[in-house]
Amino acid sequence: MAIPFSRPLALSQGDPAGIGPDITLMAWLRRRELGLPPFFLIGDPDVLALRARQLNLAVPIREIDKADAAIGMFADALPVTSVPAGIEVVAGEPHAATAKGTIAAIEKAVSLVIGGEALAVVTNPIAKAVLYEAGFRFPGHTEFLADLAARATGGPVTPVMMLSGPKLRAIPVTIHIPLRDVPQALTEKLVMETCRIAHDDLRQRFGIDAPRLAVAGLNPHAGETGTIGREDEDIIRPAIERLRDEGIDAIGPLPADTMFHDEARARYDVAICMYHDQALIPAKALGFDDSVNVTLGLPFVRTSPDHGTAFGIAGKGLAREHSLVAALKLAAQLGRTAESRR
């Protein structure tokens, strides 16, 4: 028998003109079939109701003031904590006037989880360009969440992005920077810090007692002992050696072109990659619909669907809820595991 949840998941609406409302409605409709953990949306209930009508989805929507009200209500209605969008939202037509509400929904989700009222944060996709137009000063979701966490705890927070799917977990050490800047951004300290956070979160939240880390090289053939670039020998290898001295099971640097076939993946729990596409291409190729974006290194659990706002299909009945479903399930699993290990 499944253990009932005492706290729901807090799901932010994301950009209200994107597919966040669509996939939220679709996920709730499949709650019984898929055994979804209880969640509530933080966003504009009018946007949600309009999108339900556009998509011809029979989803009763009820506003709540307290997160715990979502537990008893979830079976019969989609609970919503109201954060107004700011304008009348048209599916597929993003507008900077909605940025304030989008940001407020994320802030509310974090405050409820840090305050112990919700189990974990799940975020629907945002459009960074829309937020930038309104003065948003963070590169993206991850950095904003880290800032919120740092403000709440009063301590430094280093966020680490992981894509977690049924066949592969992958982490990029550097993320949203130009490829030409990666060699300069890579440092022994950064590689070590990323690996330490991955090791700790795999233990505390994923329940892996002795995580195995496979660390990719930066250059072709992992630098071929320094003949195809020195970064692998001068930065990555020393970092791995120091990690192993600390008791962390890290191997590498490994040639990235031989790290992701079935036999290779069986030998590790997470791939630590040196740049964005080195991690995300194999992760998405091996699990496009059911991979989840997980932020490690935060004092709370945060997951997100592994896709964007998809304005072109919003409100048209073409969106798929699979990645959001996976994000909700993983958030609940990680939240419960973290609780059990405290």
Side-chain angles (χ1 to χ4, degrees):
M1 175 183 264
I3 300 172
F5 284 84
S6 60
R7 292 181 292 162
L9 305 175
L11 172 63
S12 64
Q13 181 171 275
D15 192 299
I19 62 170
D22 307 44
I23 59 178
T24 298
L25 293 162
M26 295 162 68
W28 183 85
L29 283 171
R30 300 187 67 192
R31 67 201 180 284
R32 292 193 179 94
E33 169 196 352
L34 299 174
L36 293 187
F39 65 86
F40 63 98
L41 184 79
I42 303 173
D44 194 323
D46 292 336
V47 170
L48 208 59
L50 175 59
R51 197 68 57 85
R53 291 195 295 273
Q54 289 175 333
L55 297 171
N56 196 29
L57 299 177
V59 178
I61 297 163
R62 294 185 193 166
E63 292 188 41
I64 59 171
D65 294 323
K66 296 285 188 179
D68 59 5
I71 296 290
M73 184 185 301
F74 184 73
D76 302 313
L78 175 55
V80 179
T81 293
S82 180
V83 175
I87 60 169
E88 185 174 342
V89 174
V90 178
E93 298 183 15
H95 197 289
T98 65
K100 183 177 179 181
T102 299
I103 293 167
I106 300 167
E107 292 173 332
K108 181 72 171 176
V110 170
S111 69
L112 290 172
V113 173
I114 288 179
E117 297 178 62
L119 180 64
V121 174
V122 182
T123 57
N124 268 313
I126 59 173
K128 292 188 283 286
V130 174
L131 301 185
Y132 295 157
E133 193 176 339
F136 188 69
R137 62 184 179 86
F138 298 93
H141 243 143
T142 300
E143 295 82 0
F144 182 43
L145 289 162
D147 182 72
L148 292 174
R151 280 189 270 160
T153 63
V157 174
T158 302
V160 168
M161 172 183 172
M162 171 192 280
L163 261 68
S164 178
K167 295 183 179 180
L168 175 68
R169 299 183 191 95
I171 292 173
V173 173
T174 64
I175 308 178
H176 298 123
I177 62 174
L179 194 57
R180 66 174 178 270
D181 295 340
V182 170
Q184 289 72 41
L186 273 181
T187 64
E188 187 176 329
K189 178 182 177 182
L190 180 60
V191 173
M192 291 184 67
E193 189 169 32
T194 302
C195 289
R196 287 175 181 141
I197 291 170
H199 175 266
D200 290 347
D201 271 32
L202 285 172
R203 289 184 68 249
Q204 295 300 322
R205 293 179 176 171
F206 285 79
I208 301 172
D209 290 328
R212 300 165 299 166
L213 282 59
V215 184
L218 172 66
N219 297 296
H221 302 194
E224 199 79 73
T225 63
T227 60
I228 313 177
R230 291 294 314 173
E231 294 86 358
D232 304 278
E233 295 300 317
D234 294 345
I235 297 171
I236 303 171
R237 189 179 301 282
I240 294 170
E241 289 172 355
R242 290 182 63 188
L243 289 165
R244 293 187 67 83
D245 288 342
E246 295 176 7
I248 294 175
D249 185 358
I251 58 170
L254 303 174
D257 61 350
T258 58
M259 278 181 60
F260 301 108
H261 60 85
D262 292 348
E263 186 178 346
R265 294 197 316 276
R267 294 194 287 266
Y268 60 82
D269 298 301
V270 63
I272 308 294
C273 302
M274 294 302 112
Y275 56 91
H276 182 277
D277 284 11
Q278 192 182 56
L280 271 65
I281 287 174
K284 292 188 176 185
L286 290 166
F288 188 79
D289 283 327
D290 42 19
S291 285
V292 176
N293 188 335
V294 186
T295 305
L296 311 181
L298 298 176
F300 53 85
V301 171
R302 179 263 179 153
T303 68
S304 180
D306 181 29
H307 57 67
T309 51
F311 292 122
I313 62 172
K316 297 180 179 179
L318 299 175
R320 292 184 291 188
E321 73 281 8
H322 300 74
S323 188
L324 175 59
V325 165
L328 291 164
K329 287 186 172 184
L330 183 59
Q333 174 193 327
L334 299 184
R336 283 188 149 180
T337 302
E339 280 188 331
S340 71
R341 291 189 169 231
R342 282 176 186 161

